[in-house]
Amino acid sequence: MLKYIGIVRENKDGKGIIEIYKEYIQGLYKLEEFSHIIVISWLNKVSEEQRNTLIVRPRGLLKYGFRLEDLPEVGVFCTDSPHRPNPIAISIVRLIKRQENLLHVEDLDLFEETPILDIKAFTPARCPDDVKVSKWVEEFEKKLEEIKRKKTPF
Amino acid sequence: MLKYIGIVRENKDGKGIIEIYKEYIQGLYKLEEFSHIIVISWLNKVSEEQRNTLIVRPRGLLKYGFRLEDLPEVGVFCTDSPHRPNPIAISIVRLIKRQENLLHVEDLDLFEETPILDIKAFTPARCPDDVKVSKWVEEFEKKLEEIKRKKTPF
């Protein structure tokens, strides 16, 4: 039912290459006119047991200085945990350049060899205004802002 | 490989109900703390022939006053045409309320009976800054702005 249209060929600290298989290359025509793309991938290393996970703590936040005990338990559909009934990941990444069937990208959060299901050009119109998020997400985003400010103090 | 976790139960002019199957209800825990969700669906009416389409015109723009001859031919991965190798749709919709396993939403662009693969809470951090889009998308977005302005002239 699912077709793999490509694979993450390389990823060094988020800078990577997505290879789209030759038979799908036509579908990339004019993609280079966009600065960002949505990469839809299938996390094929997720086990059947992990696919049955329904409650998680958003552990991805630990690396930003949150403590495990401060992270709430939430339903998996509130998060982008890879452990979910269908391990589909959505990554919005910068498209640096396209070389035929090779997409050179930045901000890539996928391991090498991850199969790709789809690519969609990103357009700002996709993002709604007046978004309200959960309190723990707000705190997380405030923390992220602080980290970014510290990186560029001037 | 794919599990259907739910289905579009109702859609009247974009206002609809997504039913998540009872066995996945735990995964919705605290989802109501978010105003918007990402709905990932599988457009199961798309035929095998349509799944082999790689070049399209973004016909969705016709309803905004574009003429077919003004629409460029582009690779399917530049668009969100339903006709693509994996007919996966991404819809970002407003979550009005949750009633147990029923999600009442607005801005839903999916037909009734469309199977659901995944739900992810939407957070503004997902959207990158400094996005560049193709010229035809820019024109389309300008046109959309005009339409919105006309609707609320004061």
Side-chain angles (χ1 to χ4, degrees):
Chain A
M1 211 168 172
L2 284 179
K3 302 174 183 185
Y4 292 168
I5 65 157
I7 195 166
V8 176
R9 188 50 73 203
E10 195 182 298
N11 188 353
K12 293 201 175 92
D13 301 322
K15 216 164 166 165
I17 296 174
I18 294 170
E19 176 187 337
I20 301 299
Y21 298 138
K22 287 265 162 84
E23 61 263 43
Y24 298 108
I25 191 171
Q26 259 206 315
L28 300 173
Y29 178 52
K30 293 198 179 177
L31 189 67
E32 60 280 0
E33 295 180 1
F34 295 83
S35 66
H36 291 75
I37 57 175
I38 305 173
V39 178
I40 304 177
S41 60
W42 182 260
L43 306 174
N44 63 339
K45 303 289 186 203
V46 171
S47 70
E48 197 54 38
E49 195 195 328
Q50 291 166 334
R51 290 183 67 174
N52 291 324
T53 304
L54 289 173
I55 296 283
V56 293
R57 289 187 201 251
R59 289 171 168 270
L61 303 186
L62 294 177
K63 64 173 181 276
Y64 300 107
F66 281 78
R67 291 171 312 175
L68 190 61
E69 59 267 33
D70 294 338
L71 297 177
E73 286 199 317
V74 296
V76 75
F77 300 130
C78 300
T79 76
D80 54 4
S81 166
H83 302 163
R84 56 201 311 122
N86 292 298
I88 292 172
I90 292 183
S91 313
I92 301 178
V93 302
R94 181 182 292 274
L95 178 62
I96 304 297
K97 65 175 172 182
R98 170 165 89 90
Q99 278 182 314
E100 300 200 356
N101 66 324
L102 302 181
L103 306 177
H104 294 254
V105 300
E106 259 178 27
D107 321 312
L108 187 63
D109 57 352
L110 299 170
F111 291 121
E112 292 178 4
E113 307 300 319
T114 303
I116 305 301
L117 300 179
D118 199 8
I119 301 282
K120 298 182 201 279
F122 176 81
T123 61
R126 288 187 181 268
C127 293
D129 303 329
D130 68 327
V131 174
K132 214 187 117 287
V133 298
S134 180
K135 204 160 172 56
W136 58 269
V137 174
E138 248 173 37
E139 284 168 17
F140 154 64
E141 295 197 332
K142 227 179 274 166
K143 202 143 219 164
L144 251 189
E145 278 306 309
E146 273 169 38
I147 293 170
K148 278 186 199 164
R149 257 203 310 276
K150 274 182 201 158
K151 272 194 188 163
T152 54
F154 305 111
Chain B
M1 211 170 175
L2 286 178
K3 302 175 183 184
Y4 292 166
I5 65 157
I7 195 166
V8 177
R9 187 49 73 203
E10 195 182 299
N11 188 351
K12 294 201 175 96
D13 301 323
K15 216 162 166 167
I17 297 174
I18 294 170
E19 176 187 340
I20 301 299
Y21 297 138
K22 286 263 163 81
E23 61 263 43
Y24 299 108
I25 190 169
Q26 260 206 314
L28 299 174
Y29 178 52
K30 294 198 178 179
L31 189 67
E32 60 280 2
E33 295 181 1
F34 295 83
S35 66
H36 290 75
I37 57 175
I38 304 173
V39 178
I40 303 178
S41 60
W42 181 260
L43 306 174
N44 63 339
K45 302 289 185 203
V46 172
S47 69
E48 196 54 39
E49 194 196 328
Q50 290 166 334
R51 290 183 66 174
N52 291 324
T53 303
L54 290 174
I55 297 284
V56 293
R57 289 186 201 250
R59 287 172 168 273
L61 303 186
L62 294 178
K63 64 172 179 275
Y64 299 109
F66 281 78
R67 290 172 309 176
L68 190 61
E69 60 267 33
D70 294 338
L71 297 177
E73 287 199 315
V74 296
V76 75
F77 300 131
C78 300
T79 76
D80 54 4
S81 165
H83 302 163
R84 55 201 311 121
N86 291 299
I88 292 173
I90 293 183
S91 313
I92 301 178
V93 303
R94 180 182 291 274
L95 178 62
I96 305 296
K97 65 174 172 183
R98 172 164 89 89
Q99 278 182 315
E100 301 199 358
N101 65 326
L102 301 181
L103 306 176
H104 294 253
V105 300
E106 258 177 28
D107 321 312
L108 187 63
D109 56 352
L110 299 170
F111 291 120
E112 291 177 4
E113 307 299 320
T114 303
I116 305 301
L117 300 180
D118 199 8
I119 301 281
K120 299 180 200 279
F122 177 80
T123 61
R126 287 187 181 268
C127 293
D129 304 328
D130 67 327
V131 174
K132 213 188 121 283
V133 299
S134 179
K135 202 158 175 54
W136 58 268
V137 174
E138 248 174 37
E139 285 168 17
F140 155 65
E141 296 197 331
K142 228 178 274 166
K143 201 140 217 165
L144 252 187
E145 277 307 306
E146 274 169 39
I147 293 171
K148 278 187 200 163
R149 256 203 311 276
K150 274 181 200 159
K151 271 193 185 163
T152 54
F154 305 111

